[in-house]
Amino acid sequence: MKIRSLVFLAIALTMAPLGQTLLPDQSEEAVDKYFTKLSHAKPKYEKIRLFIHDVASGPNPSIVPVARANGTAKSKTQFGIVNVVDDRLTTGPEDKSREVGYVQGVYVSASKENVSLLVALNFVFTNKEYNGSTLSVLGRIAEFSDNREFPVLGGSGCFRLAQGIVVAKVHSADASTGNRIVECRFHFLHY
Ligand SMILES: *[C@@H]1O[C@H](CO)[C@@H](O)[C@H](O)[C@H]1NC(C)=O
Ligand SMILES: *[C@@H]1O[C@H](CO)[C@@H](O)[C@H](O)[C@H]1NC(C)=O
Ligand SMILES: *[C@@H]1O[C@H](CO)[C@@H](O)[C@H](O)[C@H]1NC(C)=O
């Protein structure tokens, strides 16, 4: 009996993950249950600090222009150019920092007068804790403004009904390669 419970304990210990995956059940029934319980739920305030790695040149860029208008080349704001990104997302600014996912989306030059970009990004988590969860960000970058605040419009998995703000700041930029590391500080509520 004693040995048996020790064996069970040993199995339980070897199976226990270090960081538990928090992804909720994503079946339609479970989503329905989630909403019916929502009136009792308190919003959780979450703060997450992450770094995006833009690789603009080299054999394997993570940001690529995919389309432009006839007039883009002549436009002082590159009006009409569309860039697609699939950047690494890490917990620190270093190349070797722990990877927690990807940032996938588009940057579109959407102003004829002054440079301003439409930004639509999905933060896709692949680390143990948030594996399979996403945060969706939609916003604007105005070149001559220090305002780098973007709305967090929603999320999935662990971040359902996310609503908040991400404050982004260029951590470092290499003028010769165009590579950039951007710090993102998320502040949001979710249920
Ligand atoms: C774009 O430019 C090409 C070549 O100059 C021309 O054939 C084409 O009709 C233009 N397209 C539009 C939508 O203006
Ligand atoms: C463009 O920027 C200039 C200089 O900052 C400003 O005076 C002007 O109002 C801006 N134009 C638009 C359409 O935002
Ligand atoms: C994340 O989920 C995928 C698909 O379910 C799985 O293949 C992968 O091993 C998971 N990663 C971690 C770190 O748990």
Side-chain angles (χ1 to χ4, degrees):
M1 191 65 187
K2 233 181 182 174
I3 286 171
R4 199 188 238 185
S5 51
L6 273 178
V7 170
F8 279 142
L9 179 66
I11 289 171
L13 281 177
T14 51
M15 282 172 60
L18 285 174
Q20 225 183 336
T21 298
L22 303 171
L23 192 69
D25 185 348
Q26 294 185 308
S27 67
E28 194 256 335
E29 292 79 8
V31 170
D32 182 48
K33 203 164 155 196
Y34 166 84
F35 273 99
T36 54
K37 284 184 170 172
L38 203 60
S39 56
H40 308 295
K42 280 210 177 81
K44 284 169 259 185
Y45 177 29
E46 193 100 37
K47 288 193 262 188
I48 305 178
R49 182 173 175 232
L50 296 168
F51 292 82
I52 298 176
H53 300 253
D54 261 348
V55 179
S57 52
N60 193 16
S62 68
I63 175 163
V64 290
V66 295
R68 65 195 74 214
N70 263 6
T72 293
K74 283 191 199 140
S75 162
K76 60 182 176 178
T77 62
Q78 286 202 296
F79 179 63
I81 194 164
V82 178
N83 283 283
V84 174
V85 294
D86 185 358
D87 285 349
R88 290 172 63 235
L89 188 62
T90 61
T91 54
E94 291 82 28
D95 248 10
K96 284 186 228 149
S97 302
R98 191 164 71 93
E99 195 167 293
V100 292
Y102 299 92
V103 183
Q104 300 175 332
V106 291
Y107 291 87
V108 181
S109 176
S111 171
K112 295 203 253 188
E113 187 57 34
N114 294 333
V115 174
S116 134
L117 303 178
L118 162 75
V119 181
L121 299 172
N122 285 321
F123 286 71
V124 182
F125 292 88
T126 56
N127 62 323
K128 188 127 217 160
E129 199 180 3
Y130 299 136
N131 196 10
S133 299
T134 62
L135 283 169
S136 295
V137 169
L138 182 69
R140 173 175 189 258
I141 298 177
E143 191 191 31
F144 301 113
S145 146
D146 289 331
N147 184 8
R148 291 282 195 274
E149 175 187 310
F150 307 102
V152 177
L153 292 193
S156 70
C158 300
F159 304 127
R160 284 175 180 166
L161 300 182
Q163 218 171 12
I165 291 292
V166 55
V167 180
K169 193 173 89 184
V170 175
H171 175 271
S172 57
D174 183 332
S176 62
T177 59
N179 296 353
R180 288 186 324 157
I181 295 168
V182 180
E183 179 186 0
C184 292
R185 288 173 180 259
F186 283 86
H187 295 258
F188 62 101
L189 302 173
H190 65 109
Y191 293 85

